[in-house]
Amino acid sequence: MIPLTRLDGERFVLNAELIRYVEQRPDTFITLTTGDRIVVRETMDDVMGRAIRYQQSKHLIPPLATS
């Protein structure tokens, strides 16, 4: 689950497992596997980072190697 903010300032939590894809045009649109679309204040990179960290916390994606 990742915390996000709707354009009107309402905070909510999204099940990151439902994200199909994320677009920036200039608002950030999240399309879910259900076909629903959500517009959020966060940038595309921020949404992707939160989704990746969520998956890493579940050990589904290995952590990034640090140099």
Side-chain angles (χ1 to χ4, degrees):
M1 304 293 271
I2 59 173
L4 295 169
T5 311
R6 295 183 192 276
L7 291 182
D8 65 3
E10 178 186 352
R11 304 264 306 144
F12 70 101
V13 179
L14 175 67
N15 181 349
E17 308 266 343
L18 297 178
I19 296 174
R20 183 170 184 192
Y21 55 89
V22 181
E23 304 169 80
Q24 183 115 22
R25 48 160 120 165
D27 292 327
T28 305
F29 288 78
I30 302 172
T31 302
L32 306 179
T33 58
T34 62
D36 293 334
R37 295 183 78 191
I38 301 169
V39 184
V40 298
R41 286 186 177 182
E42 289 77 10
T43 66
M44 181 175 66
D45 289 339
D46 192 25
V47 172
M48 289 176 19
R50 292 177 190 195
I52 289 168
R53 284 190 300 278
Y54 167 75
Q55 294 295 345
Q56 287 172 333
S57 74
K58 292 176 44 185
H59 305 291
L60 296 178
I61 297 177
L64 297 174
T66 57
S67 302

CSV table of all heavy atoms in Angstrom, one decimal:
chain,number,residue,atom,x,y,z
A,1,MET,N,0.8,-1.2,0.0
A,1,MET,CA,0.0,0.0,0.0
A,1,MET,C,0.9,1.2,0.0
A,1,MET,O,1.9,1.3,0.7
A,1,MET,CB,-0.9,0.0,1.2
A,1,MET,CG,-1.7,-1.3,1.4
A,1,MET,SD,-3.0,-1.4,0.2
A,1,MET,CE,-4.3,-0.6,0.9
A,2,ILE,N,0.5,2.2,-0.8
A,2,ILE,CA,1.3,3.5,-0.9
A,2,ILE,C,0.4,4.7,-0.7
A,2,ILE,O,-0.7,4.7,-1.2
A,2,ILE,CB,2.1,3.6,-2.2
A,2,ILE,CG1,1.1,3.6,-3.4
A,2,ILE,CG2,3.1,2.5,-2.3
A,2,ILE,CD1,1.8,3.8,-4.7
A,3,PRO,N,0.9,5.6,0.1
A,3,PRO,CA,0.1,6.8,0.4
A,3,PRO,C,0.2,7.8,-0.8
A,3,PRO,O,1.3,8.0,-1.3
A,3,PRO,CB,0.7,7.4,1.6
A,3,PRO,CG,2.1,7.0,1.6
A,3,PRO,CD,2.1,5.6,0.9
A,4,LEU,N,-0.9,8.4,-1.2
A,4,LEU,CA,-1.0,9.3,-2.3
A,4,LEU,C,-1.9,10.5,-2.0
A,4,LEU,O,-2.7,10.4,-1.0
A,4,LEU,CB,-1.4,8.6,-3.6
A,4,LEU,CG,-0.4,7.6,-4.1
A,4,LEU,CD1,-1.1,6.8,-5.3
A,4,LEU,CD2,0.9,8.2,-4.6
A,5,THR,N,-2.0,11.5,-2.8
A,5,THR,CA,-2.8,12.6,-2.6
A,5,THR,C,-3.6,13.0,-3.9
A,5,THR,O,-3.0,13.1,-5.0
A,5,THR,CB,-2.0,13.9,-2.3
A,5,THR,OG1,-1.1,13.5,-1.2
A,5,THR,CG2,-2.9,15.0,-1.8
A,6,ARG,N,-4.9,13.0,-3.8
A,6,ARG,CA,-5.7,13.5,-5.0
A,6,ARG,C,-5.5,14.9,-5.3
A,6,ARG,O,-4.9,15.7,-4.4
A,6,ARG,CB,-7.2,13.2,-4.7
A,6,ARG,CG,-7.5,11.8,-4.6
A,6,ARG,CD,-9.1,11.6,-4.4
A,6,ARG,NE,-9.4,10.3,-3.9
A,6,ARG,CZ,-9.5,9.2,-4.7
A,6,ARG,NH1,-9.4,9.4,-6.0
A,6,ARG,NH2,-9.8,8.0,-4.2
A,7,LEU,N,-5.9,15.4,-6.4
A,7,LEU,CA,-5.6,16.8,-6.8
A,7,LEU,C,-6.3,17.8,-5.8
A,7,LEU,O,-5.8,18.9,-5.6
A,7,LEU,CB,-6.1,17.1,-8.2
A,7,LEU,CG,-5.3,16.5,-9.3
A,7,LEU,CD1,-5.9,16.9,-10.7
A,7,LEU,CD2,-3.8,16.8,-9.2
A,8,ASP,N,-7.4,17.4,-5.2
A,8,ASP,CA,-8.1,18.2,-4.3
A,8,ASP,C,-7.5,18.2,-2.9
A,8,ASP,O,-8.0,18.8,-1.9
A,8,ASP,CB,-9.6,17.9,-4.2
A,8,ASP,CG,-9.9,16.5,-3.6
A,8,ASP,OD1,-8.9,15.8,-3.2
A,8,ASP,OD2,-11.1,16.1,-3.6
A,9,GLY,N,-6.4,17.5,-2.7
A,9,GLY,CA,-5.7,17.4,-1.4
A,9,GLY,C,-6.1,16.3,-0.5
A,9,GLY,O,-5.5,16.1,0.5
A,10,GLU,N,-7.1,15.5,-0.9
A,10,GLU,CA,-7.5,14.3,-0.1
A,10,GLU,C,-6.4,13.2,-0.2
A,10,GLU,O,-6.0,12.8,-1.3
A,10,GLU,CB,-8.8,13.8,-0.7
A,10,GLU,CG,-9.3,12.5,0.0
A,10,GLU,CD,-10.5,11.9,-0.6
A,10,GLU,OE1,-11.1,12.5,-1.6
A,10,GLU,OE2,-10.9,10.8,-0.2
A,11,ARG,N,-6.0,12.8,1.0
A,11,ARG,CA,-5.0,11.7,1.1
A,11,ARG,C,-5.7,10.4,1.1
A,11,ARG,O,-6.8,10.2,1.6
A,11,ARG,CB,-4.2,11.9,2.4
A,11,ARG,CG,-3.5,13.2,2.6
A,11,ARG,CD,-2.1,13.3,2.2
A,11,ARG,NE,-1.3,12.3,2.9
A,11,ARG,CZ,-0.3,11.7,2.3
A,11,ARG,NH1,0.1,12.1,1.1
A,11,ARG,NH2,0.4,10.8,2.9
A,12,PHE,N,-5.1,9.4,0.4
A,12,PHE,CA,-5.6,8.0,0.4
A,12,PHE,C,-4.5,7.1,0.3
A,12,PHE,O,-3.3,7.5,0.0
A,12,PHE,CB,-6.6,7.9,-0.7
A,12,PHE,CG,-6.0,7.9,-2.1
A,12,PHE,CD1,-5.8,6.7,-2.8
A,12,PHE,CD2,-5.7,9.1,-2.7
A,12,PHE,CE1,-5.3,6.8,-4.1
A,12,PHE,CE2,-5.1,9.1,-4.0
A,12,PHE,CZ,-4.9,8.0,-4.7
A,13,VAL,N,-4.8,5.8,0.4
A,13,VAL,CA,-3.8,4.8,0.3
A,13,VAL,C,-4.2,3.8,-0.9
A,13,VAL,O,-5.3,3.4,-0.9
A,13,VAL,CB,-3.6,3.9,1.6
A,13,VAL,CG1,-2.6,2.8,1.5
A,13,VAL,CG2,-3.3,4.9,2.8
A,14,LEU,N,-3.2,3.6,-1.8
A,14,LEU,CA,-3.5,2.8,-2.9
A,14,LEU,C,-2.8,1.4,-2.8
A,14,LEU,O,-1.6,1.4,-2.4
A,14,LEU,CB,-3.0,3.5,-4.2
A,14,LEU,CG,-3.1,2.7,-5.5
A,14,LEU,CD1,-4.6,2.5,-5.9
A,14,LEU,CD2,-2.4,3.5,-6.6
A,15,ASN,N,-3.5,0.4,-3.2
A,15,ASN,CA,-2.9,-0.9,-3.3
A,15,ASN,C,-2.0,-0.9,-4.5
A,15,ASN,O,-2.5,-1.0,-5.6
A,15,ASN,CB,-3.9,-2.0,-3.4
A,15,ASN,CG,-3.3,-3.4,-3.4
A,15,ASN,OD1,-2.1,-3.6,-3.6
A,15,ASN,ND2,-4.2,-4.4,-3.3
A,16,ALA,N,-0.7,-0.9,-4.3
A,16,ALA,CA,0.3,-0.8,-5.4
A,16,ALA,C,0.2,-2.0,-6.3
A,16,ALA,O,0.7,-1.9,-7.5
A,16,ALA,CB,1.7,-0.6,-4.9
A,17,GLU,N,-0.3,-3.1,-5.9
A,17,GLU,CA,-0.4,-4.3,-6.7
A,17,GLU,C,-1.4,-4.0,-7.9
A,17,GLU,O,-1.4,-4.8,-8.9
A,17,GLU,CB,-1.0,-5.4,-5.9
A,17,GLU,CG,-0.2,-5.7,-4.6
A,17,GLU,CD,0.9,-6.7,-4.8
A,17,GLU,OE1,0.9,-7.5,-5.8
A,17,GLU,OE2,1.8,-6.8,-3.9
A,18,LEU,N,-2.3,-3.0,-7.7
A,18,LEU,CA,-3.3,-2.8,-8.8
A,18,LEU,C,-2.8,-1.8,-9.9
A,18,LEU,O,-3.5,-1.5,-10.8
A,18,LEU,CB,-4.5,-2.2,-8.1
A,18,LEU,CG,-5.3,-3.1,-7.1
A,18,LEU,CD1,-6.5,-2.4,-6.5
A,18,LEU,CD2,-5.7,-4.4,-7.8
A,19,ILE,N,-1.6,-1.3,-9.7
A,19,ILE,CA,-1.1,-0.3,-10.7
A,19,ILE,C,-0.8,-1.0,-12.0
A,19,ILE,O,0.0,-2.0,-12.0
A,19,ILE,CB,0.1,0.5,-10.2
A,19,ILE,CG1,-0.3,1.3,-9.0
A,19,ILE,CG2,0.7,1.3,-11.3
A,19,ILE,CD1,0.9,2.0,-8.3
A,20,ARG,N,-1.4,-0.6,-13.1
A,20,ARG,CA,-1.1,-1.1,-14.4
A,20,ARG,C,0.0,-0.3,-15.1
A,20,ARG,O,0.9,-0.8,-15.6
A,20,ARG,CB,-2.4,-1.2,-15.3
A,20,ARG,CG,-2.1,-1.8,-16.6
A,20,ARG,CD,-3.5,-2.0,-17.3
A,20,ARG,NE,-3.2,-2.7,-18.6
A,20,ARG,CZ,-4.1,-2.8,-19.5
A,20,ARG,NH1,-5.4,-2.4,-19.2
A,20,ARG,NH2,-3.9,-3.5,-20.6
A,21,TYR,N,-0.3,1.1,-15.1
A,21,TYR,CA,0.7,2.0,-15.6
A,21,TYR,C,0.5,3.4,-15.0
A,21,TYR,O,-0.6,3.7,-14.6
A,21,TYR,CB,0.9,2.0,-17.1
A,21,TYR,CG,-0.3,2.3,-17.9
A,21,TYR,CD1,-0.7,3.5,-18.2
A,21,TYR,CD2,-1.1,1.2,-18.4
A,21,TYR,CE1,-1.8,3.8,-19.0
A,21,TYR,CE2,-2.2,1.5,-19.1
A,21,TYR,CZ,-2.6,2.8,-19.5
A,21,TYR,OH,-3.7,3.0,-20.2
A,22,VAL,N,1.6,4.2,-15.1
A,22,VAL,CA,1.5,5.6,-14.6
A,22,VAL,C,2.0,6.5,-15.8
A,22,VAL,O,2.9,6.2,-16.5
A,22,VAL,CB,2.5,5.8,-13.4
A,22,VAL,CG1,2.4,7.2,-12.9
A,22,VAL,CG2,2.2,4.7,-12.3
A,23,GLU,N,1.2,7.6,-15.9
A,23,GLU,CA,1.5,8.6,-17.0
A,23,GLU,C,1.7,10.0,-16.4
A,23,GLU,O,1.0,10.3,-15.4
A,23,GLU,CB,0.4,8.7,-18.0
A,23,GLU,CG,0.1,7.4,-18.7
A,23,GLU,CD,-1.2,7.5,-19.4
A,23,GLU,OE1,-1.1,8.0,-20.6
A,23,GLU,OE2,-2.3,7.1,-18.9
A,24,GLN,N,2.5,10.8,-17.0
A,24,GLN,CA,2.6,12.2,-16.5
A,24,GLN,C,2.3,13.1,-17.7
A,24,GLN,O,3.0,13.0,-18.8
A,24,GLN,CB,4.1,12.5,-16.1
A,24,GLN,CG,4.2,13.9,-15.5
A,24,GLN,CD,4.5,13.9,-14.1
A,24,GLN,OE1,5.0,12.9,-13.5
A,24,GLN,NE2,4.3,15.0,-13.4
A,25,ARG,N,1.2,13.9,-17.6
A,25,ARG,CA,0.8,14.7,-18.8
A,25,ARG,C,0.0,16.0,-18.5
A,25,ARG,O,-1.0,16.1,-19.1
A,25,ARG,CB,0.0,13.8,-19.7
A,25,ARG,CG,-1.1,13.0,-19.1
A,25,ARG,CD,-2.0,12.6,-20.1
A,25,ARG,NE,-2.2,11.2,-20.3
A,25,ARG,CZ,-3.2,10.7,-20.9
A,25,ARG,NH1,-4.1,11.5,-21.4
A,25,ARG,NH2,-3.4,9.5,-21.1
A,26,PRO,N,0.3,17.0,-17.9
A,26,PRO,CA,1.4,17.1,-16.9
A,26,PRO,C,0.9,16.5,-15.5
A,26,PRO,O,1.8,16.2,-14.7
A,26,PRO,CB,1.6,18.6,-16.7
A,26,PRO,CG,0.3,19.2,-17.1
A,26,PRO,CD,-0.3,18.3,-18.1
A,27,ASP,N,-0.4,16.4,-15.3
A,27,ASP,CA,-0.8,15.7,-14.0
A,27,ASP,C,-0.4,14.2,-14.1
A,27,ASP,O,-0.3,13.7,-15.2
A,27,ASP,CB,-2.3,15.8,-13.8
A,27,ASP,CG,-2.8,17.3,-13.5
A,27,ASP,OD1,-2.0,18.0,-12.9
A,27,ASP,OD2,-3.9,17.6,-14.0
A,28,THR,N,-0.3,13.6,-13.0
A,28,THR,CA,0.0,12.2,-12.9
A,28,THR,C,-1.2,11.3,-12.9
A,28,THR,O,-2.1,11.5,-12.0
A,28,THR,CB,0.9,11.9,-11.7
A,28,THR,OG1,2.0,12.8,-11.7
A,28,THR,CG2,1.3,10.4,-11.7
A,29,PHE,N,-1.4,10.5,-13.9
A,29,PHE,CA,-2.5,9.6,-14.0
A,29,PHE,C,-2.1,8.2,-13.7
A,29,PHE,O,-1.1,7.7,-14.3
A,29,PHE,CB,-3.1,9.6,-15.5
A,29,PHE,CG,-3.8,10.8,-15.8
A,29,PHE,CD1,-3.2,12.0,-16.2
A,29,PHE,CD2,-5.2,10.8,-15.9
A,29,PHE,CE1,-3.9,13.1,-16.5
A,29,PHE,CE2,-5.9,12.0,-16.2
A,29,PHE,CZ,-5.3,13.1,-16.5
A,30,ILE,N,-2.8,7.5,-12.9
A,30,ILE,CA,-2.5,6.1,-12.5
A,30,ILE,C,-3.7,5.3,-13.1
A,30,ILE,O,-4.8,5.5,-12.7
A,30,ILE,CB,-2.4,5.9,-11.0
A,30,ILE,CG1,-1.3,6.8,-10.5
A,30,ILE,CG2,-2.1,4.4,-10.7
A,30,ILE,CD1,-1.2,6.8,-8.9
A,31,THR,N,-3.4,4.3,-13.9
A,31,THR,CA,-4.4,3.4,-14.5
A,31,THR,C,-4.2,2.1,-13.7
A,31,THR,O,-3.1,1.6,-13.6
A,31,THR,CB,-4.2,3.2,-16.0
A,31,THR,OG1,-4.3,4.5,-16.6
A,31,THR,CG2,-5.3,2.3,-16.5
A,32,LEU,N,-5.3,1.6,-13.2
A,32,LEU,CA,-5.3,0.4,-12.4
A,32,LEU,C,-5.7,-0.8,-13.3
A,32,LEU,O,-6.2,-0.7,-14.3
A,32,LEU,CB,-6.3,0.5,-11.2
A,32,LEU,CG,-6.1,1.7,-10.3
A,32,LEU,CD1,-7.2,1.7,-9.2
A,32,LEU,CD2,-4.7,1.8,-9.7
A,33,THR,N,-5.4,-2.0,-12.8
A,33,THR,CA,-5.7,-3.2,-13.5
A,33,THR,C,-7.2,-3.4,-13.6
A,33,THR,O,-7.7,-4.1,-14.5
A,33,THR,CB,-5.1,-4.5,-12.7
A,33,THR,OG1,-5.6,-4.5,-11.4
A,33,THR,CG2,-3.6,-4.4,-12.7
A,34,THR,N,-8.0,-2.7,-12.8
A,34,THR,CA,-9.4,-2.7,-12.9
A,34,THR,C,-10.0,-1.8,-14.0
A,34,THR,O,-11.2,-1.9,-14.3
A,34,THR,CB,-10.1,-2.3,-11.6
A,34,THR,OG1,-9.7,-0.9,-11.4
A,34,THR,CG2,-9.6,-3.1,-10.4
A,35,GLY,N,-9.1,-1.0,-14.6
A,35,GLY,CA,-9.5,0.0,-15.6
A,35,GLY,C,-9.8,1.3,-15.1
A,35,GLY,O,-9.9,2.3,-15.8
A,36,ASP,N,-9.9,1.5,-13.7
A,36,ASP,CA,-10.1,2.8,-13.1
A,36,ASP,C,-8.9,3.6,-13.3
A,36,ASP,O,-7.7,3.1,-13.4
A,36,ASP,CB,-10.4,2.6,-11.6
A,36,ASP,CG,-11.7,1.9,-11.3
A,36,ASP,OD1,-12.6,2.0,-12.2
A,36,ASP,OD2,-11.8,1.3,-10.2
A,37,ARG,N,-9.1,5.0,-13.3
A,37,ARG,CA,-8.0,5.9,-13.4
A,37,ARG,C,-8.0,6.9,-12.3
A,37,ARG,O,-9.1,7.3,-11.9
A,37,ARG,CB,-8.0,6.7,-14.8
A,37,ARG,CG,-7.8,5.7,-15.9
A,37,ARG,CD,-7.8,6.5,-17.2
A,37,ARG,NE,-6.5,7.1,-17.3
A,37,ARG,CZ,-6.1,7.9,-18.3
A,37,ARG,NH1,-7.0,8.3,-19.1
A,37,ARG,NH2,-4.9,8.5,-18.3
A,38,ILE,N,-6.9,7.2,-11.7
A,38,ILE,CA,-6.8,8.1,-10.6
A,38,ILE,C,-5.8,9.2,-11.0
A,38,ILE,O,-4.7,8.9,-11.6
A,38,ILE,CB,-6.3,7.4,-9.3
A,38,ILE,CG1,-7.3,6.3,-9.0
A,38,ILE,CG2,-6.2,8.4,-8.2
A,38,ILE,CD1,-6.7,5.4,-7.9
A,39,VAL,N,-6.1,10.5,-10.7
A,39,VAL,CA,-5.2,11.6,-10.9
A,39,VAL,C,-4.6,12.0,-9.5
A,39,VAL,O,-5.4,12.2,-8.6
A,39,VAL,CB,-5.8,12.8,-11.6
A,39,VAL,CG1,-4.8,13.9,-11.9
A,39,VAL,CG2,-6.6,12.3,-12.9
A,40,VAL,N,-3.3,12.1,-9.4
A,40,VAL,CA,-2.7,12.4,-8.1
A,40,VAL,C,-1.7,13.6,-8.2
A,40,VAL,O,-1.3,13.9,-9.3
A,40,VAL,CB,-1.9,11.2,-7.5
A,40,VAL,CG1,-2.9,10.1,-7.2
A,40,VAL,CG2,-0.8,10.8,-8.4
A,41,ARG,N,-1.4,14.2,-7.1
A,41,ARG,CA,-0.5,15.3,-7.0
A,41,ARG,C,1.0,14.9,-7.2
A,41,ARG,O,1.8,15.7,-7.7
A,41,ARG,CB,-0.6,16.1,-5.7
A,41,ARG,CG,-1.8,16.9,-5.6
A,41,ARG,CD,-1.8,17.7,-4.3
A,41,ARG,NE,-3.0,18.6,-4.2
A,41,ARG,CZ,-3.2,19.4,-3.2
A,41,ARG,NH1,-2.3,19.5,-2.2
A,41,ARG,NH2,-4.2,20.1,-3.2
A,42,GLU,N,1.3,13.7,-6.8
A,42,GLU,CA,2.7,13.2,-6.8
A,42,GLU,C,3.1,13.1,-8.3
A,42,GLU,O,2.3,12.8,-9.2
A,42,GLU,CB,2.8,11.9,-6.1
A,42,GLU,CG,2.7,11.9,-4.6
A,42,GLU,CD,1.2,12.1,-4.1
A,42,GLU,OE1,0.3,11.9,-4.9
A,42,GLU,OE2,1.0,12.3,-2.9
A,43,THR,N,4.4,13.2,-8.5
A,43,THR,CA,5.0,13.0,-9.8
A,43,THR,C,5.0,11.5,-10.2
A,43,THR,O,4.9,10.7,-9.3
A,43,THR,CB,6.4,13.6,-9.9
A,43,THR,OG1,7.3,12.7,-9.0
A,43,THR,CG2,6.5,15.0,-9.5
A,44,MET,N,5.2,11.3,-11.4
A,44,MET,CA,5.3,9.9,-11.9
A,44,MET,C,6.5,9.2,-11.2
A,44,MET,O,6.3,8.1,-10.8
A,44,MET,CB,5.5,9.9,-13.4
A,44,MET,CG,5.6,8.5,-14.0
A,44,MET,SD,5.6,8.4,-15.8
A,44,MET,CE,7.2,9.2,-16.1
A,45,ASP,N,7.6,9.9,-11.1
A,45,ASP,CA,8.8,9.3,-10.5
A,45,ASP,C,8.5,9.0,-9.0
A,45,ASP,O,9.0,7.9,-8.5
A,45,ASP,CB,10.0,10.2,-10.6
A,45,ASP,CG,10.5,10.3,-12.0
A,45,ASP,OD1,10.2,9.3,-12.8
A,45,ASP,OD2,11.2,11.3,-12.4
A,46,ASP,N,7.8,9.8,-8.3
A,46,ASP,CA,7.5,9.6,-6.9
A,46,ASP,C,6.6,8.4,-6.8
A,46,ASP,O,6.8,7.5,-5.9
A,46,ASP,CB,6.8,10.9,-6.3
A,46,ASP,CG,6.8,10.8,-4.8
A,46,ASP,OD1,7.6,10.1,-4.2
A,46,ASP,OD2,5.9,11.5,-4.2
A,47,VAL,N,5.5,8.3,-7.6
A,47,VAL,CA,4.6,7.1,-7.5
A,47,VAL,C,5.4,5.8,-7.8
A,47,VAL,O,5.3,4.9,-7.1
A,47,VAL,CB,3.5,7.3,-8.5
A,47,VAL,CG1,2.6,6.0,-8.6
A,47,VAL,CG2,2.6,8.5,-8.2
A,48,MET,N,6.3,5.9,-8.8
A,48,MET,CA,7.1,4.7,-9.2
A,48,MET,C,8.0,4.3,-8.0
A,48,MET,O,8.1,3.1,-7.7
A,48,MET,CB,7.9,4.9,-10.4
A,48,MET,CG,7.0,5.0,-11.7
A,48,MET,SD,7.9,5.4,-13.2
A,48,MET,CE,9.6,5.1,-12.9
A,49,GLY,N,8.6,5.3,-7.4
A,49,GLY,CA,9.5,5.1,-6.3
A,49,GLY,C,8.8,4.4,-5.1
A,49,GLY,O,9.3,3.5,-4.5
A,50,ARG,N,7.6,4.9,-4.8
A,50,ARG,CA,6.8,4.4,-3.7
A,50,ARG,C,6.4,2.9,-4.0
A,50,ARG,O,6.5,2.1,-3.2
A,50,ARG,CB,5.6,5.2,-3.4
A,50,ARG,CG,6.0,6.6,-2.9
A,50,ARG,CD,4.7,7.4,-2.6
A,50,ARG,NE,5.1,8.8,-2.3
A,50,ARG,CZ,4.3,9.7,-1.8
A,50,ARG,NH1,3.1,9.4,-1.5
A,50,ARG,NH2,4.8,10.9,-1.6
A,51,ALA,N,6.0,2.7,-5.3
A,51,ALA,CA,5.6,1.4,-5.7
A,51,ALA,C,6.7,0.4,-5.6
A,51,ALA,O,6.6,-0.8,-5.1
A,51,ALA,CB,5.0,1.4,-7.0
A,52,ILE,N,7.9,0.8,-6.0
A,52,ILE,CA,9.1,0.0,-6.0
A,52,ILE,C,9.5,-0.3,-4.5
A,52,ILE,O,9.8,-1.5,-4.2
A,52,ILE,CB,10.3,0.6,-6.7
A,52,ILE,CG1,10.0,0.6,-8.2
A,52,ILE,CG2,11.6,-0.1,-6.4
A,52,ILE,CD1,10.9,1.4,-9.1
A,53,ARG,N,9.5,0.7,-3.7
A,53,ARG,CA,9.8,0.5,-2.3
A,53,ARG,C,8.8,-0.5,-1.6
A,53,ARG,O,9.2,-1.3,-0.8
A,53,ARG,CB,9.9,1.8,-1.5
A,53,ARG,CG,11.2,2.6,-1.8
A,53,ARG,CD,11.4,3.7,-0.9
A,53,ARG,NE,10.3,4.7,-1.0
A,53,ARG,CZ,10.3,5.7,-1.9
A,53,ARG,NH1,11.2,5.8,-2.9
A,53,ARG,NH2,9.3,6.5,-1.9
A,54,TYR,N,7.6,-0.4,-2.0
A,54,TYR,CA,6.5,-1.3,-1.5
A,54,TYR,C,6.9,-2.7,-1.9
A,54,TYR,O,6.8,-3.6,-1.0
A,54,TYR,CB,5.2,-0.9,-2.0
A,54,TYR,CG,4.1,-1.9,-1.7
A,54,TYR,CD1,3.6,-2.1,-0.5
A,54,TYR,CD2,3.6,-2.7,-2.8
A,54,TYR,CE1,2.6,-3.1,-0.2
A,54,TYR,CE2,2.7,-3.7,-2.6
A,54,TYR,CZ,2.2,-3.8,-1.3
A,54,TYR,OH,1.2,-4.8,-1.1
A,55,GLN,N,7.2,-2.9,-3.1
A,55,GLN,CA,7.5,-4.3,-3.6
A,55,GLN,C,8.8,-4.8,-2.9
A,55,GLN,O,8.9,-6.0,-2.6
A,55,GLN,CB,7.6,-4.3,-5.1
A,55,GLN,CG,6.4,-4.0,-5.9
A,55,GLN,CD,5.3,-5.1,-5.7
A,55,GLN,OE1,5.5,-6.2,-5.2
A,55,GLN,NE2,4.1,-4.7,-6.0
A,56,GLN,N,9.8,-3.9,-2.7
A,56,GLN,CA,11.0,-4.3,-2.1
A,56,GLN,C,10.7,-4.7,-0.6
A,56,GLN,O,11.3,-5.7,-0.1
A,56,GLN,CB,12.0,-3.2,-2.1
A,56,GLN,CG,12.6,-3.0,-3.5
A,56,GLN,CD,13.5,-1.8,-3.5
A,56,GLN,OE1,13.3,-0.8,-2.8
A,56,GLN,NE2,14.5,-1.8,-4.4
A,57,SER,N,9.8,-4.0,0.0
A,57,SER,CA,9.5,-4.4,1.4
A,57,SER,C,8.8,-5.7,1.5
A,57,SER,O,8.9,-6.4,2.5
A,57,SER,CB,8.5,-3.3,2.0
A,57,SER,OG,7.2,-3.4,1.5
A,58,LYS,N,8.2,-6.2,0.4
A,58,LYS,CA,7.6,-7.5,0.4
A,58,LYS,C,8.6,-8.6,-0.1
A,58,LYS,O,8.3,-9.7,-0.3
A,58,LYS,CB,6.4,-7.5,-0.6
A,58,LYS,CG,5.3,-6.7,0.0
A,58,LYS,CD,4.1,-6.6,-1.0
A,58,LYS,CE,3.9,-8.0,-1.6
A,58,LYS,NZ,2.9,-8.0,-2.6
A,59,HIS,N,9.8,-8.1,-0.5
A,59,HIS,CA,10.9,-9.0,-1.0
A,59,HIS,C,10.6,-9.6,-2.3
A,59,HIS,O,11.1,-10.6,-2.7
A,59,HIS,CB,11.3,-10.1,0.0
A,59,HIS,CG,11.6,-9.6,1.4
A,59,HIS,ND1,12.7,-8.9,1.6
A,59,HIS,CD2,10.9,-9.6,2.5
A,59,HIS,CE1,12.7,-8.5,2.9
A,59,HIS,NE2,11.6,-9.0,3.5
A,60,LEU,N,9.8,-8.9,-3.1
A,60,LEU,CA,9.5,-9.3,-4.5
A,60,LEU,C,10.4,-8.7,-5.5
A,60,LEU,O,10.6,-9.3,-6.6
A,60,LEU,CB,8.0,-8.9,-4.9
A,60,LEU,CG,6.9,-9.6,-4.0
A,60,LEU,CD1,5.6,-9.1,-4.5
A,60,LEU,CD2,7.0,-11.1,-4.2
A,61,ILE,N,11.1,-7.6,-5.1
A,61,ILE,CA,12.1,-7.0,-6.0
A,61,ILE,C,13.3,-6.8,-5.1
A,61,ILE,O,13.2,-6.3,-4.0
A,61,ILE,CB,11.6,-5.6,-6.5
A,61,ILE,CG1,10.4,-5.7,-7.3
A,61,ILE,CG2,12.7,-4.9,-7.2
A,61,ILE,CD1,9.8,-4.4,-7.8
A,62,PRO,N,14.5,-7.3,-5.6
A,62,PRO,CA,15.7,-7.1,-4.8
A,62,PRO,C,16.0,-5.7,-4.6
A,62,PRO,O,15.8,-4.8,-5.5
A,62,PRO,CB,16.7,-7.9,-5.6
A,62,PRO,CG,16.2,-8.0,-7.0
A,62,PRO,CD,14.7,-7.9,-6.9
A,63,PRO,N,16.7,-5.3,-3.5
A,63,PRO,CA,17.1,-3.9,-3.3
A,63,PRO,C,18.1,-3.5,-4.3
A,63,PRO,O,18.9,-4.3,-4.9
A,63,PRO,CB,17.6,-3.9,-1.9
A,63,PRO,CG,17.9,-5.3,-1.5
A,63,PRO,CD,17.0,-6.1,-2.4
A,64,LEU,N,18.2,-2.2,-4.7
A,64,LEU,CA,19.1,-1.7,-5.6
A,64,LEU,C,20.5,-1.8,-5.0
A,64,LEU,O,20.7,-1.6,-3.8
A,64,LEU,CB,18.9,-0.2,-5.9
A,64,LEU,CG,17.5,0.0,-6.6
A,64,LEU,CD1,17.3,1.5,-6.8
A,64,LEU,CD2,17.5,-0.6,-8.0
A,65,ALA,N,21.5,-2.2,-5.8
A,65,ALA,CA,22.9,-2.3,-5.4
A,65,ALA,C,23.4,-0.8,-5.2
A,65,ALA,O,23.2,0.1,-5.9
A,65,ALA,CB,23.7,-3.0,-6.4
A,66,THR,N,24.1,-0.6,-4.1
A,66,THR,CA,24.7,0.7,-3.8
A,66,THR,C,26.2,0.6,-4.0
A,66,THR,O,26.9,-0.5,-3.7
A,66,THR,CB,24.5,1.1,-2.4
A,66,THR,OG1,24.9,0.2,-1.5
A,66,THR,CG2,23.0,1.3,-2.2
A,67,SER,N,26.8,1.6,-4.6
A,67,SER,CA,28.2,1.6,-4.9
A,67,SER,C,29.0,2.3,-3.8
A,67,SER,O,28.6,3.2,-3.2
A,67,SER,CB,28.5,2.3,-6.2
A,67,SER,OG,27.8,1.7,-7.2
